[in-house]
Amino acid sequence: MNTVLKDVVAVPASQGNAIGFLTWNSLANMLITPDELKQKLVESGLGNGWMPKDIRLPDAFRRATSEKFKREVSPGVYENYMFREVASTSTFVQRNLVCETKDTKGRRLNYVSDAGALVLDRKTGTVESSFVSSMAQQLVNNAALQFDIYRNNYGANTLRTLITSVLKSMSPTPVRPSGGVYFIPVQFEGNLDALNQFVASLEKGEAEKVPVMNTMDMKNMVTRKLMDHLQGTLAACENGVANQLKKNELKVILEDAKAVVSNVKDYEAIVAGDLQEMEAYVALIREKVASALTNMAD
């Protein structure tokens, strides 16, 4: 990835004197069992403390019934199939297969709310199915098979969340507006190596790191990116409050903001120039977070 930053050059780690590292990773869609995931976490050095929560049957069931299917039944006329949840109690979850017929102009020609159905028994984990056509039978049976897979395997989204959580523990600063590439202070090198080893051990995972050397140009670059990060964090807090986001959505923004403020201490030896502007942003973010949390509690 030689286009990460036009003014950063990869330098062999053997030259030492690094202030940190640029890192990025990628993970394609894949499945992994809990036992295999735990083993890879332990072998990488991250430890099984990073294991995600146990797979919940209702979550696996909803995931298995989240796909949509479309087919043309006559020139300009299409059937759209999708699952919709119709009941969720302490004992079962029911999701019906809906069939909507539309033409190319978007006009609804027909609607069947129960072309098929899948009912999950929360206690036993068994699934009962029903259907009214061969197409519905195929889609319902496929969803049931997917449920058997998802109940026993974590997916790529869970793994990406895990990777992001580990990365956040290393005081990361994004270095691209579009995200995906981060600067990690040198004191977290061991943690970063463990994370990259873990990602690389996954069937469809890749991870890299590039040393950022202790030069004034590189310190200025990190300082700029950290300032951008603080400004973006403050804007996210202000927008979240102004737009009256739901409490759970705003809470995520505020928790991230608190982490960003806390992470600034890990950059004290790196930041170049006058710190007054940066300290002012830190103070503003703290004030905004405290005010928002107080209002949420009212």
Side-chain angles (χ1 to χ4, degrees):
M1 186 175 289
N2 57 4
T3 59
V4 172
L5 286 172
K6 64 182 180 181
D7 55 348
V8 174
V9 179
V11 180
S14 59
Q15 292 188 16
N17 204 27
I19 57 174
F21 303 89
L22 295 183
T23 187
W24 59 90
N25 60 69
S26 63
L27 181 67
N29 287 334
M30 61 167 290
L31 297 168
I32 187 170
T33 66
D35 287 344
E36 186 180 1
L37 176 56
K38 182 180 295 186
Q39 180 181 352
K40 289 184 180 298
L41 284 170
V42 171
E43 290 176 347
S44 70
L46 288 178
N48 59 17
W50 289 104
M51 276 292 291
K53 294 179 180 179
D54 292 341
I55 299 171
R56 298 178 63 251
L57 289 180
D59 292 341
F61 182 63
R62 293 183 175 105
R63 183 181 171 199
T65 53
S66 63
E67 295 184 3
K68 298 179 181 180
F69 179 78
K70 180 179 181 179
R71 68 167 181 170
E72 188 174 20
V73 292
S74 63
V77 178
Y78 297 85
E79 283 183 346
N80 297 308
Y81 290 89
M82 65 210 80
F83 283 93
R84 290 287 183 264
E85 193 153 317
V86 296
S88 178
T89 71
S90 60
T91 58
F92 75 93
V93 179
Q94 179 175 340
R95 290 174 70 82
N96 281 7
L97 180 66
V98 171
C99 177
E100 183 181 50
T101 306
K102 286 187 173 183
D103 62 17
T104 53
K105 295 182 179 180
R107 292 177 298 192
R108 178 185 286 182
L109 306 178
N110 192 30
Y111 184 84
V112 180
S113 62
D114 56 355
L118 282 170
V119 181
L120 168 68
D121 186 310
R122 288 176 179 265
K123 184 177 181 179
T124 65
T126 57
V127 171
E128 293 184 0
S129 63
S130 61
F131 40 83
V132 298
S133 67
S134 59
M135 176 54 64
Q137 179 183 14
Q138 180 180 335
L139 295 174
V140 165
N141 288 346
N142 181 66
L145 290 174
Q146 291 292 97
F147 171 63
D148 280 336
I149 294 173
Y150 293 150
R151 69 186 298 180
N152 295 308
N153 292 272
Y154 291 111
N157 285 341
T158 298
L159 294 174
R160 293 187 188 107
T161 299
L162 186 161
I163 292 167
T164 299
S165 296
V166 177
L167 196 63
K168 284 182 177 180
S169 73
M170 293 182 257
S171 299
T173 292
V175 297
R176 291 198 313 175
S178 58
V181 182
Y182 300 89
F183 172 82
I184 303 294
V186 69
Q187 59 265 39
F188 297 104
E189 181 178 10
N191 305 63
L192 180 58
D193 286 342
L195 174 61
N196 285 359
Q197 181 180 331
F198 166 71
V199 175
S201 74
L202 297 172
E203 179 185 0
K204 296 185 178 181
E206 295 182 359
E208 302 290 345
K209 76 169 187 178
V210 174
V212 176
M213 306 315 290
N214 188 7
T215 67
M216 187 53 65
D217 283 346
M218 294 300 96
K219 283 191 170 184
N220 285 335
M221 181 275 293
V222 173
T223 302
R224 290 197 310 272
K225 297 303 177 181
L226 182 56
M227 275 297 300
D228 290 345
H229 193 30
L230 289 170
Q231 291 170 352
T233 299
L234 178 61
C237 290
E238 291 175 338
N239 291 337
V241 173
N243 294 331
Q244 297 182 328
L245 295 180
K246 295 179 180 178
K247 282 190 176 182
N248 60 326
E249 296 173 335
L250 184 57
K251 185 177 180 181
V252 172
I253 294 174
L254 298 178
E255 289 298 325
D256 283 345
K258 287 195 292 184
V260 170
V261 167
S262 176
N263 292 344
V264 170
K265 67 180 183 299
D266 293 319
Y267 287 79
E268 291 176 353
I270 300 174
V271 171
D274 191 349
L275 300 182
Q276 288 187 345
E277 185 179 7
M278 188 172 293
E279 290 171 348
Y281 272 103
V282 168
L284 285 172
I285 293 171
R286 284 188 175 133
E287 179 182 332
K288 184 63 64 175
V289 169
S291 174
L293 290 174
T294 300
N295 292 335
M296 286 172 63
D298 291 343

